[in-house]
Amino acid sequence: MEMTIIDKIGMILKYIFSSFMGIELLLLSLLLFLFTILNIKKNNKLVKIISIILCLAFLIGLIIAYHNYALYCIDSFIKFLLSYLYFPSMVMYFFIMIVATIAIIITILSKKMPKYQKVINSIVLSIMYLCFMCVAAIAITEHLDLSVASNLYTNDTLLSFIQVSNLLFFLWLEYIVLYYFYRFLEYKLDKKSS
C-alpha cells in the first residue's frame, strides 16, 4: 500500500462521514472527549465516574462481543513478543488500546496533571478511540476475521485506521516521555540551585 499520510487521513475522514455508523462512532468519541474536557473544567466526581464507565463499558463491550478474539489476543500476546515483531498487527493494536484506556483513566483521575496536558491527552486518546471503534465497525460490516493477517493487509481503509492511530500513539508516547524527562531534569536543576 503506497499511500501518503494525507491519503490515509483522507480515507479515514471519507469512511467516517460516509455512513451512519461512522458518524455514530464519531459522536461517541466526541462524547468521551466532552466528558474529559468537562472533568478538566469542573473537576466533578460524577463526570469522572461517567467518563471511566464510558471507557470501561466500551472495552468490556468489545471483549464480550469478541470474547473469542479477546482470548486469542491474550494468548497471542506472549507469542507475539517472543516470535515476531511484524507491525502493524492486531495483537499489538489491541495492546495499544489497553494502554490508551489506562492513560485516559489516569488523565481523568489525575489532580496533579496540568490542564494543557489533560487537553492534549484527551484529544489524542479520543482520536485513537475513534480509530479503534472504526476498525471494529469495518471488521463487523465487512465480516473480516481480524485474527487472519491477510484480512488486515487487503483492506486499505482498515489498514489506514490502524497505521494512523499507531503513528498518533507513538508520537504521543514520545511527547509524554520527553515531557516527563524535561520535568525530571527541571526538578533536579531546581533542587541543585536551591
Side-chain angles (χ1 to χ4, degrees):
M1 182 170 134
E2 294 185 31
M3 295 172 64
T4 66
I5 191 75
I6 303 297
D7 294 335
K8 291 175 184 179
I9 292 171
M11 188 172 282
I12 287 170
L13 291 174
K14 180 181 171 187
Y15 175 81
I16 290 171
F17 292 109
S18 68
S19 69
F20 180 73
M21 185 183 298
I23 293 171
E24 197 174 67
L25 295 174
L26 175 65
L27 291 175
L28 283 172
S29 295
L30 289 175
L31 181 65
L32 176 63
F33 177 71
L34 177 70
F35 276 117
T36 55
I37 293 299
L38 281 174
N39 181 52
I40 293 169
K41 286 189 171 190
K42 300 199 182 226
N43 202 12
N44 187 333
K45 283 187 179 183
L46 180 64
V47 174
K48 287 181 182 181
I49 291 169
I50 291 172
S51 299
I52 292 170
I53 288 172
L54 186 64
C55 289
L56 292 176
F58 172 72
L59 194 60
I60 290 168
L62 281 175
I63 289 171
I64 290 170
Y66 292 101
H67 63 279
N68 290 336
Y69 183 68
L71 291 174
Y72 170 78
C73 285
I74 292 167
D75 265 353
S76 298
F77 182 69
I78 303 299
K79 293 177 189 174
F80 172 77
L81 290 177
L82 299 174
S83 66
Y84 67 96
L85 292 173
Y86 192 74
F87 197 77
S89 74
M90 285 308 296
V91 175
M92 187 65 177
Y93 193 59
F94 185 76
F95 178 74
I96 286 171
M97 290 314 300
I98 290 172
V99 171
T101 301
I102 293 168
I104 204 158
I105 290 171
I106 290 170
T107 299
I108 292 166
L109 294 175
S110 178
K111 293 180 181 177
K112 294 181 180 179
M113 190 180 293
K115 287 186 180 184
Y116 69 88
Q117 182 70 37
K118 286 186 174 192
V119 169
I120 291 170
N121 286 359
S122 297
I123 291 169
V124 170
L125 298 171
S126 295
I127 292 169
M128 288 180 60
Y129 260 93
L130 171 65
C131 290
F132 189 67
M133 289 186 289
C134 288
V135 165
I138 292 169
I140 292 167
T141 56
E142 296 189 21
H143 307 291
L144 298 175
D145 181 4
L146 296 179
S147 63
V148 178
S150 62
N151 287 341
L152 176 64
Y153 298 109
T154 55
N155 189 310
D156 288 344
T157 306
L158 185 72
L159 194 57
S160 294
F161 273 110
I162 293 169
Q163 289 175 336
V164 167
S165 62
N166 285 339
L167 175 66
L168 185 63
F169 176 77
F170 286 111
L171 289 174
W172 172 78
L173 195 60
E174 283 180 46
Y175 166 76
I176 294 295
V177 168
L178 290 173
Y179 172 78
Y180 283 107
F181 181 70
Y182 170 76
R183 293 290 302 264
F184 173 76
L185 290 177
E186 184 180 53
Y187 173 77
K188 289 291 186 184
L189 291 173
D190 285 346
K191 194 174 178 182
K192 283 185 180 181
S193 66
S194 299

